[in-house]
């Protein structure tokens, strides 16, 4: 059976980008693979150093995981920092990672640009920690969105470098995965190419938004005055609305609005109304479950504890074997 590993940072509520880029695949994969899905709290500390908010969002992400359909009896769900073995593997991989390659990573360069006052070493070595997360369970596949592609390439580089340095085929070379398709990038409602909680709250539809909030957000989505020539290329903001519709609506609905657009007869108000209806049909059942789970702290604690225990079995084994391969020993 294949091993699957992925994680999401607890920096906020999960949005449709997280769902269609990652979570949807987690849910499908849990039926056919040995799955580990975690909440990446160590990674969040690179940008959000205060634990109070972090703890709140760890709970929220776990609730969102469960409400979306992750089953703790099928996949191992845990909090990254409950697995300190990851930190040891990260340290060992740091000796195999080069400054130059880390400085060239696009997510690092972007964070430096956005937050020049907080260029900490954790940000630089972020992909090394991510490799440790994945390789601690010796994964085959990593379900992620398009923005994680480069991090996965680096994971393979570190795995290969380890194998080469210690002359052993120990780590597999895991691949970024999306069910039967290319990796996806869900756009924002504000005309931006990626739905992202750090860019603009209004660009995101959260799984935990109540139906009225979803409707309001969709109705406010950026559009323009409409096409002026038949079959005109779509500007980014309009392309985004179509892409969101592709994610949540029936193919016939999408086709209808495509035709209207190409004939220059489209009414964006109608299109957004339809998009809101279809999006709510998708989010409302998840939202209902979120409300139920939120008040069930005992259950959530039990899930996290059971997940940590299961995850540690495989993590302890990997770290023990890696120490042996490197030749580290205690007297
Ligand atoms: P994070 O927390 O930013 O995002 C979690 C997952 O959601 C996907 N995603 C999207 N997919 C499509 N469209 C979007 N607009 C969109 N926004 C987010 C991301 O691609 C990701 O799959 N570094 C990771 C967390 C991590 C990790 C790991 C992932 C830490 N260790 C090990 C996999 C394996 C991150 O910051 O994701």
């Amino acid at each position: 059976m294949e091993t699957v590993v992925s994680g999401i940072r607890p920096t906020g509520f999960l949005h449709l980008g997280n769902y269609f880029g990652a979570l949807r695949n987690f849910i499908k994969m849990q039926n056919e693979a040995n799955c580990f899905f975690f909440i990446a709290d160590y990674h969040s500390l690179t940008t959000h150093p205060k634990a109070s908010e972090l703890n709140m969002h760890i709970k929220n992400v776990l609730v969102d995981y469960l409400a979306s359909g992750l089953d703790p009896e099928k996949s191992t769900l845990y909090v990254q920092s409950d697995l300190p073995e990851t930190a040891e593997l990260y340290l060992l991989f740091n000796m195999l990672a080069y400054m130059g390659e880390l400085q060239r990573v696009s997510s690092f360069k972007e964070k430096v640009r956005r937050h020049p006052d907080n260029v900490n070493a954790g940000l630089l070595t972020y992909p090394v920690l991510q490799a440790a997360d994945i390789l601690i369970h010796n994964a085959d596949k990593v379900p992620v969105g398009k923005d994680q592609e480069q991090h996965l390439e680096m994971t393979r580089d570190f795995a290969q470098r380890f194998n080469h340095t210690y002359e052993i085929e120990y780590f597999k070379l895991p691949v970024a995965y999306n069910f039967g398709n290319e990796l996806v990038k869900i756009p924002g409602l504000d005309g931006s190419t990626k739905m992202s909680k750090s860019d603009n709250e209004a660009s995101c539809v959260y799984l935990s938004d109540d139906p009225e909030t979803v409707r309001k957000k969709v109705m406010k989505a950026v559009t323009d005055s409409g096409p002026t020539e038949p079959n005109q290329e779509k500007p980014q903001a309009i392309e985004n609305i179509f892409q969101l519709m592709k994610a949540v609506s029936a193919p016939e609905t999408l086709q209808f609005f495509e035709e209207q657009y190409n004939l220059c007869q489209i009414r964006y108000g109608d299109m957004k109304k339809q998009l809101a209806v279809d999006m709510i049909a998708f989010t409302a059942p998840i939202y209902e479950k979120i409300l139920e789970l939120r008040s069930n702290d005992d259950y959530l604690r039990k899930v996290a504890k059971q997940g940590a225990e299961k995850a540690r079995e495989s993590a302890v084994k990997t770290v023990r074997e890696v120490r042996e391969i490197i030749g580290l020993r205690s007297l």
Side-chain angles (χ1 to χ4, degrees):
M1 205 194 262
E2 285 189 320
T3 300
V4 168
V5 176
S6 195
I8 299 186
R9 279 173 308 147
T11 48
F13 296 102
L14 299 192
H15 51 65
L16 292 183
N18 300 132
Y19 184 86
F20 288 106
L23 200 43
R24 178 174 56 168
N25 293 304
F26 298 4
I27 294 157
K28 285 190 190 168
M29 290 167 118
Q30 68 179 345
N31 294 315
E32 54 194 58
N34 180 24
C35 291
F36 295 89
F37 301 121
F38 63 94
I39 301 169
D41 58 342
Y42 282 151
H43 274 109
S44 297
L45 292 172
T46 59
T47 49
H48 297 65
K50 296 271 162 53
S52 56
E53 229 182 276
L54 192 66
N55 286 330
M56 178 180 82
H57 286 308
I58 289 174
K59 174 178 167 179
N60 290 332
V61 174
L62 183 59
V63 166
D64 291 353
Y65 273 0
L66 295 167
S68 303
L70 280 184
D71 178 348
E73 299 305 319
K74 291 183 182 166
S75 16
T76 303
L77 309 178
Y78 64 97
V79 180
Q80 186 186 30
S81 65
D82 278 341
L83 222 62
E85 290 75 16
T86 307
E88 181 170 353
L89 193 60
Y90 162 62
L91 177 143
L92 296 169
F93 279 137
N94 268 325
M95 320 313 178
L96 296 169
Y98 301 116
M99 279 293 274
E101 64 185 340
L102 296 173
Q103 281 166 332
R104 282 193 299 273
V105 175
S106 3
S107 59
F108 174 69
K109 288 197 284 197
E110 187 178 330
K111 283 186 180 136
V112 171
R113 195 171 49 75
R114 278 177 187 241
H115 306 285
D117 52 330
N118 185 24
V119 184
N120 59 73
L123 272 186
L124 182 69
T125 56
Y126 185 113
V128 187
L129 180 55
Q130 184 157 345
D133 290 328
I134 296 168
L135 296 170
I136 199 124
H137 304 300
N138 216 343
D140 298 277
K141 287 184 179 149
V142 185
V144 281
K146 180 94 183 138
D147 60 344
Q148 298 298 311
E149 212 165 24
Q150 193 181 22
H151 290 164
L152 260 295
E153 262 169 44
M154 300 190 72
T155 297
R156 285 193 295 279
D157 287 346
F158 299 142
Q160 211 154 20
R161 218 170 279 162
F162 179 92
N163 291 350
H164 183 253
T165 304
Y166 298 105
E167 297 171 15
I168 182 169
E169 286 303 305
Y170 181 70
F171 286 116
K172 294 186 248 182
L173 306 182
V175 291
Y177 188 77
N178 182 48
F179 239 82
N181 271 311
E182 309 246 297
L183 300 185
V184 302
K185 181 158 94 168
I186 296 292
L189 288 167
D190 59 346
S192 60
T193 58
K194 186 181 145 196
M195 187 175 282
S196 162
K197 49 198 171 226
S198 49
D199 286 343
N200 178 358
E201 284 284 312
S203 88
C204 291
V205 172
Y206 296 108
L207 299 173
S208 51
D209 279 340
D210 63 79
E212 188 47 24
T213 305
V214 176
R215 199 187 59 77
K216 282 197 186 132
K217 284 184 176 175
V218 172
M219 293 314 289
K220 278 199 204 136
V222 176
T223 50
D224 59 17
S225 52
T228 49
E229 287 168 36
N231 304 313
Q232 196 176 311
E233 205 185 312
K234 298 186 187 88
Q236 186 66 53
I238 305 303
E239 177 60 33
N240 290 358
I241 310 278
F242 276 90
Q243 276 192 37
L244 288 164
M245 190 166 245
K246 190 169 171 209
V248 296
S249 304
E252 309 81 72
T253 310
L254 182 69
Q255 198 189 340
F256 171 79
F257 287 103
E258 286 280 2
E259 283 164 12
Q260 296 281 303
Y261 181 87
N262 287 331
L263 296 167
C264 298
Q265 288 171 3
I266 192 148
R267 288 161 50 160
Y268 290 132
D270 291 350
M271 185 177 183
K272 289 201 272 189
K273 258 189 216 152
Q274 183 63 48
L275 179 61
V277 168
D278 294 339
M279 211 172 259
I280 290 166
F282 170 77
T283 55
I286 300 180
Y287 168 72
E288 296 294 328
K289 289 202 199 102
I290 288 176
L291 291 187
E292 250 174 66
L293 283 159
R294 256 186 202 158
S295 54
N296 207 340
D297 283 336
D298 286 347
Y299 174 65
L300 298 173
R301 257 192 295 272
K302 201 181 110 207
V303 168
K305 184 163 177 280
Q306 176 190 311
E309 280 164 11
K310 263 165 75 186
R312 283 197 78 187
E313 280 173 30
S314 105
V316 164
K317 175 171 175 286
T318 305
V319 169
R320 192 184 60 236
E321 289 172 357
V322 164
R323 280 169 156 261
E324 276 167 20
I325 290 167
I326 296 178
L328 293 174
R329 61 186 187 93
S330 41
L331 290 174

